[in-house]
Amino acid sequence: MAPTSYPLSRVSARTVSRESSLVLLPQLAQAHGTPAGPQLPAEPGAEATTKQSGRSAPAQSIAASSAETLTTTTEESTSPTCVPIAEQDCVRHICLEGQLIRVNQSQHCPQGATRPRCGVLGLAVRVGGDRCCPLWECACRCSIFPDLSFVTFDGSHAALFKEAIYILTQSPKEMVTVHVLDCKSANLGHLNWPPFCLVMLNVTHLTHQVTIDRFSRKVTVDSQPVWPPVSRHGFRIEDTGHMYVIRTPSHIQIQWLHSSGLMVLEASKASEAQGRGLCGICDGDAANDLTLEDGSVVGEAEDPAPFLDSWQVPSSLTSVGQTRFRPDSCATADCSPCLRMVSNRTFSACHRFVPPESFCELWIRDTKYVQQPCVALTVYVAMCHKFHVCIEWRRSDYCPFLCSSDSIYQACVAACEPPETCQDGLLGPLDPEQCQVLGEGCVCSEGTLLHRRHSALCIPEEKCACTDSTGVPRALGETWNSSLSGCCQHQCQAPNTIVPVDLGCPGPRPETCPRFGEVALLLPTEDPCCLGTVCVCNQTLCEGLAPTCRPGHRLLTRFQEDSCCPSYSCECDPDLCEAELVPSCRQDQILIVGRLGDSCCPSYFCACGDCPDSIPECQEGEALTVDRNTTELCCPLYQCVCESFRCPHVQCGMGTALVEVWSPDRCCPYKSCECDCDTIPVPRCHLWEKSQLDEEFLHSVENVCGCAKYECVKAPVCLSRELGVMLPGQTVVELSADGVCHTSRCTDMLDPLTSFYQINTTSVLCDVHCEVNQEYEHPRDLAACCGSCRNVSCLFTFPNGTTSLFLPGASWITDCARHHCSSTPLGAVLVRSPISCPPLNETECAKVGGSVVPSLEGCCRTCKEDGRSCKKVTIRMTIRKNECRSNTPVNLVSCDGRCPSASIYNYNINTYARFCKCCREVGLQRRSVQLFCATNATWVPYTVQEPTDCACQWS
């Protein structure tokens, strides 16, 4: 990129005689000076003005004569040739009279090269100009944070809390939607963002559609799976390994981070009037960001729920979470927890970009931020990432960010820079001017790298040699099964070289089968992938016919070891008999099957069988019963039924507990009384009572276990309806509205009527009057009655008798003394200190033409000059050098003013001797001035000299 050149003006120089107040030596300055940095060009056409004072020579005549002399000298000399040097970024060199002048183009940008501040939208983007003089603009940037809070194109803030599909932005040709799903139901708990998160992105342009599933890492274009990078139908989809970058045909760029889920949309200014949705309208007006689909607008302080529902895709709502809107602000609610959290030194690097005060205004309006500090801090750090501010704040025990076993957490990930993968060198990084994203996430552990950019698999570097047909990485020399049977194997022999593996099976061995009807077949051996030879019978080769069997018989085939062909016989087969009606036997009968005579088919009979064991003996608590439904059966059913009311009862006394031991073989449990003092209830006493041991029960016959029993008795306390319960010696102080202090003290004297201690009450009137500069201060001791007066300002009486109040920090002068109202821990205190005057030399004051005047309100005296003594003055003039000149008059320092002179008679020479001093320079300094050369339209620096100080000196 060629550097931009700027016009230069002609240079003019002026020389002044030594009697004048300005001395310029341009030739000397150019020979010994060093060029300085360029200055911004000024408006041309302005003429020089020269201030005349005292005995200085007229500036116009001096400038004309010196310019003529300088021009003549330059035409007679010959400029040497400059040695060219290599150009640098935004810096070019110009040869002027044998000198290389360095020009930095970035310092001469007409629109200024400073990047503007865009608030929570992040850093501005370059929309024009070049690298040396960029043109900045706040981008149409919409950010959706991992917790589903988002910042619109113009900086408004809201948060989603429903599981549905939402429209981020839409225009007549294009629509961008996101699918919010339940993270827990999708098995995404490691993201630490319950309950909802962004899962799907859908971009539709005309008839073409792009769908991205972030968690399964699947990208489809018109329902066809693709692997990034891909360019199709005006879409450009890339995967850096840390995030997706999607560019749509309508010039919308979407950046979506894999680990955290942060999504950033940047729209083109050309389409800002067409796009509407959750991201708002990019027109620089935040008031209309929350515009509903029907055109109505939700106010900034109102609940954004109608705005969120307006851009929800119909029939896509699945579930609803807790609303996050709070109608508060830091002016009406307490934001101190947020300020303490964000103002921590850990986040100080971001405070100048995202001030804690502005973020806490968002925090107080979001319920999730207030309830979950980790969510609030994550969103604050994500805002800081938009300004490329890296903050490491998470710990394993504080807001951890969980990663998979083969990856580790990294606080700051340059998402546009691709991580190390097996395909390094095939795909380069993205354009740094179009992609500058910083975020947190998971990266591969040390010693591993990504298999592919579009995959979340971290593998050792040796696994990069090959990739099998299913996408699994393989190391050099690794062998694997490539079929379900395991008999097809492949091996990675060289990088990206996969060859089949020979199993080494022996060839088939032909054998002669010894028996007739046998044939040789190839069958699997001990190794399932290798085949062997075996002899098997072929029934089609056997001779003979099978016999025909009579009804009720079946043909039975038998084989012998010494014969391949079978032998046949007919045998009885009941399955071939005609179906006979099977009688239905009772429950207590059994079905008997038999054959009559030599028949092959069976017959069925019902008969009673043997009864089971005798009638059972019932235990204690059981009753013998007969099943009424079995009285007509061969064997009725007897059973013992447990009836608990038949079991004996046992009554235990106080301090004992009934213990029952159940047995599965018994109806009634074993009961016994065992000592258990915990069964005796413990009384709950009132505040004016105390618990006391019941001595009568302790020594009673009833207390067989020696248990302790307690009862409530009155405690030695004071009892009052207004003050409650007080201990002896306790004091309560109360101050009434009329200024009377009441002191109540619990004594150790019993009241015979109530059996409680008596309360003595005394009253004191707090009659405290404070001065006008004091305020009443309540006592810090709760047991004290009245407070005291404390100075809050200083009361001062002036000499004329008037009094005034001064706040702490005020200072004033009276009677040549300085007074200061100081703030101390005990209150405001008036401090007085005398004024010290600076030394004054009246003789020197008269020499410089000054006069003695009072100062500091008449307490001191000082010298006031009349302004006509020799000193530095500023003169404006246009400087010219050959064909170069300054665009505007330049302010140059010169010397001007009166100096002493005298004429004294000298009798030795019989005449008057004249003495005079001249106002002239004391030391010189170099100064660089920018000149514009019209011949080559170039700015060059030019060095002149000007006085550092002026004084009266002998000429």
Side-chain angles (χ1 to χ4, degrees):
M1 182 181 298
T4 305
S5 60
Y6 295 94
L8 294 170
S9 60
R10 295 188 175 183
V11 179
S12 65
R14 300 182 180 181
T15 57
V16 185
S17 63
R18 63 182 182 180
E19 288 85 2
S20 69
S21 62
L22 174 66
V23 178
L24 292 178
L25 302 177
Q27 297 88 348
L28 183 62
Q30 181 176 348
H32 296 85
T34 56
Q39 300 177 356
L40 290 177
E43 292 294 330
E47 295 297 327
T49 59
T50 305
K51 179 180 179 182
Q52 299 183 6
S53 175
R55 297 163 53 187
S56 301
Q60 294 180 353
S61 60
I62 297 175
S65 61
S66 60
E68 181 179 357
T69 306
L70 183 62
T71 304
T72 304
T73 306
T74 306
E75 291 176 353
E76 294 177 356
S77 62
T78 302
S79 300
T81 304
C82 300
V83 179
I85 63 174
E87 297 293 334
Q88 302 175 359
D89 288 343
C90 303
V91 175
R92 61 179 303 182
H93 294 79
I94 299 174
C95 183
L96 181 64
E97 295 186 352
Q99 288 186 338
L100 277 177
I101 309 301
R102 184 177 183 270
V103 179
N104 190 340
Q105 295 180 226
S106 297
Q107 300 179 1
H108 298 280
C109 299
Q111 72 279 359
T114 304
R115 180 180 294 191
R117 302 181 70 89
C118 303
V120 295
L121 297 178
L123 294 175
V125 296
R126 186 169 69 89
V127 295
D130 54 19
R131 291 184 299 104
C132 301
C133 289
L135 180 61
W136 300 103
E137 189 175 74
C138 291
C140 291
R141 184 179 292 119
C142 176
S143 303
I144 300 95
F145 298 108
D147 68 319
L148 298 186
S149 64
F150 60 93
V151 175
T152 62
F153 285 136
D154 290 331
S156 295
H157 187 270
L160 299 172
F161 59 94
K162 297 181 180 179
E163 184 179 7
I165 300 176
Y166 292 92
I167 299 174
L168 296 184
T169 180
Q170 69 174 2
S171 60
K173 294 184 179 180
E174 193 169 283
M175 182 170 63
V176 180
T177 63
V178 291
H179 198 165
V180 177
L181 291 179
D182 188 347
C183 297
K184 292 184 179 179
S185 63
N187 194 21
L188 305 173
H190 65 282
L191 293 179
N192 301 317
W193 292 114
F196 303 125
C197 55
L198 291 184
V199 178
M200 302 284 292
L201 171 68
N202 193 304
V203 185
T204 303
H205 184 84
L206 298 178
T207 59
H208 302 291
Q209 185 181 61
V210 171
T211 302
I212 298 178
D213 188 337
R214 178 167 66 100
F215 297 108
S216 61
R217 301 291 285 272
K218 292 182 180 179
V219 181
T220 60
V221 178
D222 294 339
S223 302
Q224 296 295 324
V226 296
W227 297 109
V230 61
S231 295
R232 195 174 297 176
H233 310 304
F235 291 93
R236 175 65 181 175
I237 308 170
E238 297 176 278
D239 191 345
T240 69
H242 297 304
M243 70 173 179
Y244 287 114
V245 180
I246 305 100
R247 296 178 179 87
T248 71
S250 295
H251 308 291
I252 295 179
Q253 177 173 283
I254 306 173
Q255 298 165 329
W256 197 10
L257 273 68
H258 296 321
S259 296
S260 65
L262 172 67
M263 180 182 290
V264 179
L265 281 76
E266 287 191 8
S268 172
K269 287 286 186 180
S271 61
E272 66 184 30
Q274 303 176 2
R276 290 201 309 166
L278 283 185
C279 286
I281 305 173
C282 183
D283 58 356
D285 183 13
N288 65 353
D289 269 11
L290 305 185
T291 301
L292 279 66
E293 193 171 14
D294 59 1
S296 59
V297 179
V298 175
E300 183 179 2
E302 300 176 14
D303 189 351
F307 166 74
L308 303 178
D309 295 339
S310 173
W311 296 108
Q312 185 183 112
V313 175
S315 303
S316 67
L317 180 62
T318 305
S319 62
V320 179
Q322 180 184 2
T323 180
R324 298 175 56 171
F325 175 76
R326 283 165 49 107
D328 291 325
S329 67
C330 289
T332 60
D334 184 14
C335 289
S336 58
C338 173
L339 293 174
R340 287 194 302 269
M341 176 176 61
V342 181
S343 299
N344 189 288
R345 187 173 58 184
T346 305
F347 310 97
S348 59
C350 185
H351 288 168
R352 66 190 184 98
F353 299 103
V354 184
E357 294 78 8
S358 61
F359 175 78
C360 290
E361 287 291 344
L362 305 179
W363 174 87
I364 195 63
R365 297 181 60 188
D366 195 310
T367 303
K368 180 177 285 190
Y369 290 173
V370 175
Q371 295 176 352
Q372 302 181 22
C374 291
V375 175
L377 287 179
T378 302
V379 173
Y380 181 80
V381 172
M383 291 182 177
C384 299
H385 286 165
K386 294 163 68 173
F387 299 91
H388 301 162
V389 177
C390 178
I391 299 177
E392 296 184 4
W393 64 282
R394 296 187 187 270
R395 300 193 306 267
S396 60
D397 59 344
Y398 183 73
C399 304
F401 191 101
L402 303 181
C403 298
S404 59
S405 58
D406 58 351
S407 60
I408 58 175
Y409 168 74
Q410 187 168 314
C412 301
V413 177
C416 296
E417 297 179 7
E420 185 179 5
T421 66
C422 294
Q423 293 180 322
D424 278 349
L426 301 179
L427 300 171
L430 302 179
D431 186 0
E433 287 193 1
Q434 298 182 1
C435 184
Q436 296 181 2
V437 179
L438 190 67
E440 60 179 355
C442 301
V443 298
C444 290
S445 304
E446 185 176 0
T448 63
L449 68 165
L450 272 181
H451 181 220
R452 296 289 188 266
R453 282 195 190 180
H454 54 262
S455 169
L457 182 62
C458 295
I459 61 173
E461 187 175 1
E462 59 267 19
K463 287 282 188 177
C464 289
C466 299
T467 303
D468 63 16
S469 58
T470 61
V472 178
R474 304 290 181 178
L476 197 64
E478 184 178 356
T479 303
W480 65 92
N481 292 325
S482 54
S483 64
L484 295 178
S485 63
C487 295
C488 182
Q489 297 185 350
H490 287 80
Q491 186 182 58
C492 179
Q493 283 193 351
N496 298 323
T497 303
I498 300 175
V499 297
V501 177
D502 185 9
L503 300 179
C505 296
R509 300 177 182 178
E511 297 180 0
T512 302
C513 297
R515 295 186 299 173
F516 177 80
E518 287 184 336
V519 294
L521 294 179
L522 295 177
L523 296 177
T525 61
E526 295 179 355
D527 187 352
C529 297
C530 298
L531 300 177
T533 304
V534 65
C535 293
V536 296
C537 288
N538 187 355
Q539 298 293 335
T540 61
L541 301 179
C542 294
E543 297 180 352
L545 297 175
T548 302
C549 298
R550 56 192 178 91
H553 293 74
R554 65 182 176 85
L555 181 64
L556 183 64
T557 303
R558 291 186 176 87
F559 290 90
Q560 299 179 357
E561 292 181 359
D562 57 349
S563 174
C564 179
C565 294
S567 60
Y568 303 95
S569 62
C570 293
E571 293 184 358
C572 181
D573 187 0
D575 294 337
L576 300 178
C577 296
E578 295 181 0
E580 183 180 352
L581 182 61
V582 178
S584 178
C585 299
R586 296 201 312 266
Q587 190 175 7
D588 61 334
Q589 294 176 334
I590 60 175
L591 181 65
I592 299 177
V593 182
R595 295 179 182 177
L596 299 177
D598 58 351
S599 174
C600 182
C601 296
S603 298
Y604 300 93
F605 307 94
C606 290
C608 285
D610 297 334
C611 290
D613 298 338
S614 59
I615 299 174
E617 294 183 0
C618 297
Q619 299 178 357
E620 182 182 30
E622 295 180 340
L624 182 64
T625 60
V626 179
D627 191 351
R628 295 180 181 180
N629 297 328
T630 63
T631 56
E632 299 297 330
L633 299 180
C634 297
C635 299
L637 298 179
Y638 296 91
Q639 58 185 0
C640 292
V641 179
C642 182
E643 297 176 350
S644 59
F645 66 89
R646 299 180 183 274
C647 297
H649 295 276
V650 178
Q651 186 69 29
C652 296
M654 183 175 290
T656 60
L658 177 63
V659 178
E660 296 180 349
V661 179
W662 294 87
S663 174
D665 300 331
R666 288 175 54 86
C667 173
C668 299
Y670 296 100
K671 298 181 179 180
S672 61
C673 294
E674 296 184 3
C675 290
D676 187 1
C677 295
D678 294 336
T679 59
I680 299 178
V682 179
R684 299 181 64 181
C685 300
H686 295 284
L687 294 177
W688 59 84
E689 294 178 334
K690 66 177 182 178
S691 179
Q692 180 174 290
L693 184 64
D694 190 349
E695 297 289 344
E696 181 180 355
F697 174 77
L698 183 64
H699 301 92
S700 66
V701 181
E702 180 186 1
N703 188 8
V704 295
C705 294
C707 297
K709 181 183 176 184
Y710 293 89
E711 59 182 353
C712 294
V713 296
K714 288 186 178 181
V717 295
C718 295
L719 182 63
S720 171
R721 183 181 300 273
E722 295 80 10
L723 303 178
V725 178
M726 299 173 57
L727 297 177
Q730 185 176 358
T731 302
V732 176
V733 179
E734 293 180 300
L735 184 63
S736 61
D738 55 359
V740 179
C741 178
H742 303 279
T743 304
S744 300
R745 182 176 183 276
C746 180
T747 67
D748 55 358
M749 298 176 59
L750 285 176
D751 187 346
L753 297 179
T754 61
S755 298
F756 291 107
Y757 287 161
Q758 294 180 355
I759 299 177
N760 290 342
T761 303
T762 58
S763 300
V764 177
L765 176 61
C766 295
D767 190 9
V768 180
H769 299 281
C770 296
E771 299 293 339
V772 293
N773 65 322
Q774 296 177 334
E775 67 177 10
Y776 181 76
E777 189 175 62
H778 293 281
R780 297 183 180 179
D781 187 2
L782 298 179
C785 269
C786 303
S788 59
C789 294
R790 182 176 183 270
N791 291 345
V792 295
S793 61
C794 297
L795 182 62
F796 182 76
T797 302
F798 288 93
N800 59 2
T802 61
T803 59
S804 297
L805 292 177
F806 294 93
L807 295 178
S811 298
W812 65 97
I813 298 174
T814 302
D815 289 340
C816 293
R818 191 181 306 274
H819 299 79
H820 178 72
C821 186
S822 178
S823 177
T824 66
L826 299 178
V829 176
L830 181 62
V831 180
R832 181 182 183 279
S833 58
I835 293 178
S836 59
C837 297
L840 173 65
N841 191 332
E842 297 184 8
T843 304
E844 289 295 328
C845 180
K847 287 183 179 181
V848 297
S851 60
V852 178
V853 296
S855 64
L856 292 179
E857 298 185 358
C859 297
C860 299
R861 296 190 306 161
T862 184
C863 181
K864 180 179 179 182
E865 298 181 8
D866 59 357
R868 301 176 59 85
S869 60
C870 179
K871 58 183 178 181
K872 293 192 295 183
V873 297
T874 302
I875 298 178
R876 292 176 57 84
M877 64 172 54
T878 300
I879 300 178
R880 293 180 175 86
K881 173 65 177 178
N882 297 341
E883 297 299 325
C884 304
R885 57 166 289 176
S886 60
N887 268 7
T888 59
V890 180
N891 292 330
L892 295 178
V893 176
S894 62
C895 296
D896 189 15
R898 295 179 179 179
C899 288
S901 62
S903 180
I904 303 174
Y905 178 78
N906 191 338
Y907 62 89
N908 292 324
I909 59 176
N910 194 23
T911 185
Y912 283 89
R914 297 177 178 86
F915 303 93
C916 64
K917 290 185 178 181
C918 180
C919 181
R920 57 179 296 179
E921 73 280 357
V922 180
L924 295 174
Q925 64 180 2
R926 296 186 181 92
R927 177 180 172 187
S928 179
V929 179
Q930 293 296 117
L931 305 181
F932 177 72
C933 301
T935 56
N936 55 2
T938 306
W939 283 95
V940 297
Y942 187 71
T943 303
V944 298
Q945 289 185 340
E946 60 182 5
T948 59
D949 200 359
C950 299
C952 293
Q953 301 181 34
W954 293 106
S955 58

